[in-house]
Amino acid sequence: MMIRNVFALSFLLFIGISIAIAYPPEEVKAHNALVYSVAFSPDGKTLATAGFDNSVKLWDYATGKEIRTISGHTGPVYAVAFSKDGKTLYSSSLDTTIKAWNTADGKMTQELKGHTGIVDGFAISPDGKTLASCSSDKSVKLWNLADGKELKTLGSHANSVYSVAFSPDGKTLASASADMTIKIWDIASQKETKSLKGPTAAITGVAFTDNNSLVSIGQDRFVRIWNAQAGTETKKMGPTPDDLYGLALSKDIKSLATSGYGGNVAIWNLADGKASFNKKLKLFGAYCVAFSPDEKFLITGHDSSFLLITPIK
């Protein structure tokens, strides 16, 4: 009987450990101020967060434990993203800089200077050689990551630029602005080719789904799909319950996750334009969203300085 009970206890402990590994904590106190951006490493093991406490943090996603706090920015951090090999983490800030960090030791390896306002967002080209950035100074810039030097200021919007995204082939860049337009830029000629109009409020995020199609979100509470070459809107989804700030594409590019200021998250089927998942979270200010590596959870960063890990059910 004792042997049987020991076996049962061992089995329960094994199951408990498995559950702990498979299902991360529901809530993590991440920063001392709001969490504005999250990004996973290419291997899915590490989560990076950007905080308005001027810091960047690295987390072990499976356990929810902090690996490292990276300090060096002198203002709130607005965006984070890993390099393709996961060895470098990039971050941008209100301090007008973009910094590169060695993920192994947290030391700064590069600093890109040139903007005169908040660097709201950035994107790394598919080949990993170029970084595009956007700012409250209204400009869109290209940088050479080999030496950290500015290649060109592509142009500007009439207001703050919140998001940039490369097409999968790296030939096209899209920029989204508070001026309610999306500009399409040809990387080879470094010129604007289209200006997409239709939203009635600031556009807060943009991402390509293929070399010609892109999605956008904004404060008019709609998700929109665009034909970049034609410069036309092909589909509109919503309205959502609150202003949209976060977007993330699934690995197969068939679904889009969105998060909003009121704490609502949704997953949209891009083919039929319908929401397959909706949930009102317990925390407001969901400024960013990401799919977990296994796409069973949504990770959101909040006004309250917390991360929420929400099962997709």
Side-chain angles (χ1 to χ4, degrees):
M1 180 67 70
M2 184 178 294
I3 293 174
R4 186 178 298 172
N5 288 340
V6 169
F7 175 79
L9 179 60
S10 299
F11 179 75
L12 287 172
L13 286 172
F14 173 76
I15 293 297
I17 291 171
S18 298
I19 290 173
I21 293 173
Y23 297 96
E26 176 190 359
E27 186 177 306
V28 176
K29 169 72 172 174
H31 287 267
N32 293 318
L34 67 86
V35 183
Y36 207 75
S37 179
V38 294
F40 276 99
S41 59
D43 64 9
K45 295 180 180 180
T46 306
L47 179 70
T49 59
F52 271 26
D53 57 3
N54 303 1
S55 73
V56 175
K57 294 194 178 189
L58 298 179
W59 305 84
D60 183 302
Y61 174 66
T63 64
K65 292 182 179 179
E66 182 182 328
I67 298 171
R68 179 173 291 107
T69 295
I70 298 174
S71 301
H73 281 293
T74 58
V77 186
Y78 276 72
V80 285
F82 284 90
S83 61
K84 301 299 181 182
D85 61 9
K87 294 180 180 180
T88 303
L89 181 74
Y90 295 91
S91 58
S92 66
S93 169
L94 180 145
D95 67 14
T96 74
T97 70
I98 303 156
K99 297 180 187 291
W101 314 90
N102 185 319
T103 55
D105 59 17
K107 293 181 179 179
M108 188 177 74
T109 59
Q110 201 174 52
E111 185 177 49
L112 312 183
K113 289 184 173 182
H115 283 292
T116 58
I118 301 166
V119 186
D120 286 285
F122 62 89
I124 301 168
S125 62
D127 64 8
K129 295 179 179 180
T130 307
L131 184 145
S133 61
C134 59
S135 171
S136 64
D137 66 13
K138 306 177 186 178
S139 72
V140 178
K141 294 179 181 287
L142 292 179
W143 308 80
N144 182 352
L145 290 180
D147 58 15
K149 293 182 179 179
E150 182 181 328
L151 291 170
K152 186 177 178 64
T153 297
L154 286 180
S156 63
H157 282 261
N159 208 324
S160 295
V161 192
Y162 290 137
S163 179
V164 286
F166 281 98
S167 60
D169 62 9
K171 295 179 179 181
T172 307
L173 183 77
S175 57
S177 171
D179 68 8
M180 300 179 287
T181 66
I182 299 169
K183 290 183 181 290
I184 306 298
W185 311 87
D186 178 76
I187 297 300
S189 65
Q190 299 183 339
K191 293 181 179 180
E192 179 186 335
T193 59
K194 294 287 181 184
S195 182
L196 314 184
K197 298 179 180 180
T200 56
I203 305 169
T204 53
V206 66
F208 277 90
T209 56
D210 59 39
N211 290 325
N212 187 47
S213 299
L214 62 150
V215 294
S216 69
I217 59 168
Q219 293 178 358
D220 65 0
R221 304 188 175 189
F222 284 97
V223 178
R224 299 170 191 265
I225 301 178
W226 306 83
N227 181 311
Q229 185 175 0
T232 57
E233 180 184 309
T234 59
K235 192 176 294 181
K236 183 168 72 172
M237 298 171 277
T240 59
D242 47 26
D243 297 358
L244 296 173
Y245 283 92
L247 84 165
L249 288 166
S250 61
K251 291 177 183 178
D252 62 9
I253 319 296
K254 292 182 179 180
S255 300
L256 174 76
T258 59
S259 63
Y261 182 74
N264 292 280
V265 292
I267 297 176
W268 304 85
N269 184 314
L270 294 177
D272 62 18
K274 296 179 180 179
S276 60
F277 176 81
N278 279 292
K279 188 174 179 65
K280 176 70 169 69
L281 303 178
K282 63 181 180 180
L283 297 178
F284 278 84
Y287 288 109
C288 53
V289 64
F291 283 98
S292 64
D294 61 7
E295 298 193 341
K296 293 181 179 179
F297 299 86
L298 291 179
I299 291 81
T300 48
H302 291 266
D303 232 344
S304 60
S305 77
F306 280 87
L307 292 175
L308 290 184
I309 297 90
T310 304
I312 300 171
K313 295 180 180 177

